[in-house]
Amino acid sequence: MPEVVFRVDQSKSMRDQDVPGHNRWHPDIPPVATVRPGQEFRVECREWTDAQLGNNDSANDVRDVDLDRTHMLSGPIAVEGAEPGDLLVADILDLGPVPQEVGDAPGQGWGYTGIFARTNGGGFLTDHFPDAAKAIWDFHGQQATSRHLPGIRYTGITHPGLFGTAPSADLLDKWNRRERGLIDTDPQRVPPLGLPPNPHGALAGTATGGDAERIAAEGARTVPARENGGNQDIKNFTRGSRVFYPVFVDGAKFSGGDLHFSQGDGEITFCGAIEMGGFIDFHVDLIKGGMETFGVRTNPVFMPGNVEPRYSEFLSFSGVSVDHDTDTNHYMDATIAYRRACLNAVEYLTKWGYTGEQAYLLLGSAPIEGRISGIVDIPNACCTLYLPTAIFDFDIRPTSGGPVRTDRGQCALTS
C-alpha cells in the first residue's frame, strides 16, 4: 500500500483530526505533508459535509445541513520542486470507500444522495423540487442499491468530486472580485448566485491565530470549479485518470476530497452523487513550465480512465432551449435544454411508479450520460440524457402495453 500522507479517523470531525484539513482555498494554508515527483501516496478523505448526514429515513439533516462547513478537504500536500507556471501531473491509481469499515460515517459501507432545499443550496431542478429529500445507498463491491429507490441496482464509477492546487494571492483576489460582481447583480436571489468568503464554519488547516482568522476572512469557498480544478464533479475522473493541474504557488499545495461512489453527468441535485468518505491513491510528477508550453492557464486538462460500467443500451431523453412552463424560447441555451431533458426523464420515470423525488435522486446518482447534441441549430440548443436500461430489474422501455405502474415506496423526506 502507498504511504498514507493524510490520515482520517472517520469517527471524528475533520476539525478534531490529529492533523486537520481545510474547507477554503487560500495560498497561505500550510502544507501538512511533502511528496516528491515520481512518488505514490495515499490520501484519506472525510465525506464532504463532515458527516452531517446520517443513515436514516429522514431528510431533515439535508434540509438543515450547514453549508458553511463544507467541503472538508484533505491537505494541502506540497510537491517538491513545484513552482508557479508548472503543471502538476496527478495519476489516480485507486480510490474507494473507507476500507473494511462499517459505521455511522458515509463511506463506511454506505453513502447517500440528497436533494438540497431551495432555501439551502438548491439544485438544477430546484424550481420543480424545492424541498429536501434523500436516498441511502448500500455498497456491494462495485454496485449500489437503495431501500429508498427499489428496483434499481447499478455499478458505480468511483471518483473524487474535488481536487486542486492552491491559488496565488492574485488569483484568489480575482476569484472573489468577479464572483462578488456576479452576486451583486441579484443579491437577494434564492438560492444565491454565488458564495462569497465567510468566516463562519471556516477551517484553515493547521494555521493558527491571526493567520487562521485572515484565511477564514479571505478564503474562497470550495463549491465551484475554477482555474485550479477544484469541485469539477466529473464522473469519469476515476481510476486510471491523469490530470494536469496548473501550479500557482510554490509546492503546488494539492488538496481535495468529496469522494463519490457514483454520479450522473451534471450531479443535478447539487448533492447528486453518492457521497462518501474513503481513500484515494495518487502518483505525481511535474512538467516544468508546462502552463506556458501547453497553454494550460484557465483550467486543468485531464485524460479519463478506462474504468467504467459496460452499459450498452440506453433510453435517451432530449430537451431543447424552450422553457415549457412559460412557453418561452431561449437562444441556444444548453442549460435550459439539459434541464428539459432531465425533466422529461423524471416525468417518464413517474409513469412506472417512482415519485418525482425518487426519479430526481436516481438521475443525480446513477451513471447517466449527459451530452450537448446540437449547439448550432438556431434558436434551439439540444441536449440529451442517456439512461442505462440495465440498472432496472424490470423492462423500462416503452411498449404497446404501456408502463407497468407499481408502488415503489418513497425516498426520505423532511418532516
Side-chain angles (χ1 to χ4, degrees):
M1 186 181 84
E3 176 188 358
V4 180
V5 299
F6 193 96
R7 294 187 180 276
V8 168
D9 180 343
Q10 296 292 342
S11 69
K12 298 179 180 179
S13 166
M14 182 63 90
R15 297 176 184 276
D16 300 326
Q17 301 293 323
D18 292 341
V19 178
H22 62 102
N23 64 355
R24 301 291 191 267
W25 289 118
H26 197 284
D28 296 335
I29 298 174
V32 298
T34 300
V35 298
R36 304 176 309 278
Q39 185 174 339
E40 297 180 1
F41 58 92
R42 173 167 291 188
V43 175
E44 296 177 349
C45 300
R46 187 84 161 141
E47 178 267 330
W48 79 290
T49 71
D50 204 18
Q52 294 184 58
L53 277 66
N55 187 349
N56 54 50
D57 299 321
S58 170
N60 289 355
D61 50 9
V62 181
R63 178 195 64 197
D64 300 333
V65 68
D66 183 355
L67 290 176
D68 290 337
R69 289 171 51 186
T70 59
H71 295 92
M72 287 299 179
L73 307 186
S74 298
I77 297 159
V79 180
E80 285 185 6
E83 299 173 300
D86 294 345
L87 287 179
L88 174 65
V89 184
D91 293 306
I92 298 179
L93 306 178
D94 198 8
L95 78 156
V98 182
Q100 288 83 49
E101 286 189 25
V102 175
D104 295 333
Q108 292 181 307
W110 65 280
Y112 70 89
T113 303
I115 297 173
F116 270 43
R118 180 185 179 91
T119 54
N120 191 24
F124 192 52
L125 306 182
T126 197
D127 290 342
H128 298 266
F129 298 96
D131 299 320
K134 182 175 70 178
I136 300 297
W137 298 89
D138 295 310
F139 302 154
H140 314 280
Q142 291 181 297
Q143 296 188 322
T145 60
S146 174
R147 63 183 182 270
H148 294 128
L149 282 85
I152 294 166
R153 185 183 187 106
Y154 56 76
T155 300
I157 311 177
T158 52
H159 62 282
L162 194 166
F163 263 89
T165 54
S168 65
D170 287 345
L171 184 58
L172 174 63
D173 180 67
K174 181 183 294 186
W175 291 350
N176 289 333
R177 187 173 62 251
R178 74 189 184 199
E179 289 169 26
R180 171 53 72 186
L182 174 63
I183 294 167
D184 288 346
T185 64
D186 190 359
Q188 304 305 316
R189 185 179 186 269
V190 178
L193 290 171
L195 299 174
N198 181 356
H200 177 266
L203 181 60
T206 58
T208 58
D211 286 341
E213 293 177 2
R214 181 172 52 82
I215 289 167
E218 299 173 353
R221 303 294 295 276
T222 58
V223 171
R226 298 186 181 92
E227 287 90 334
N228 68 328
N231 195 30
Q232 295 181 285
D233 290 315
I234 300 170
K235 81 174 193 295
N236 297 100
F237 181 17
T238 185
R239 286 175 292 165
S241 294
R242 170 171 286 185
V243 191
F244 303 87
Y245 288 102
V247 174
F248 302 103
V249 299
D250 288 339
K253 293 189 177 180
F254 187 50
S255 302
D258 187 28
L259 302 188
H260 298 162
F261 187 87
S262 179
Q263 182 200 297
D265 281 333
E267 198 187 11
I268 60 174
T269 73
F270 178 43
C271 191
I274 300 181
E275 307 286 349
M276 67 178 190
F279 75 95
I280 182 165
D281 294 344
F282 286 106
H283 169 276
V284 293
D285 212 333
L286 291 172
I287 299 177
K288 301 298 294 180
M291 289 177 64
E292 176 64 28
T293 300
F294 293 101
V296 179
R297 297 189 184 89
T298 59
N299 291 102
V301 174
F302 92 106
M303 301 170 63
N306 56 6
V307 178
E308 61 181 354
R310 293 185 178 180
Y311 293 116
S312 58
E313 182 182 85
F314 302 86
L315 271 179
S316 179
F317 300 88
S318 61
V320 296
S321 48
V322 172
D323 183 341
H324 291 277
D325 296 326
T326 61
D327 200 29
T328 303
N329 218 125
H330 296 261
Y331 180 76
M332 303 307 291
D333 192 322
T335 300
I336 296 289
Y338 193 55
R339 183 177 291 121
R340 176 46 54 187
C342 292
L343 289 169
N344 290 342
V346 167
E347 183 176 8
Y348 183 88
L349 290 168
T350 62
K351 302 299 183 182
W352 303 83
Y354 292 109
T355 66
E357 291 84 1
Q358 287 176 309
Y360 189 19
L361 288 163
L362 171 62
L363 297 179
S365 60
I368 66 167
E369 297 181 14
R371 304 180 184 179
I372 296 177
S373 298
I375 203 71
V376 296
D377 299 317
I378 60 172
N380 287 337
C382 178
C383 289
T384 45
L385 181 156
Y386 286 56
L387 178 65
T389 60
I391 70 175
F392 300 91
D393 67 4
F394 57 94
D395 189 352
I396 195 74
R397 297 172 299 179
T399 64
S400 58
V404 179
R405 190 179 185 90
T406 301
D407 182 0
R408 303 190 189 278
Q410 178 57 293
C411 57
L413 302 174
T414 55
S415 60

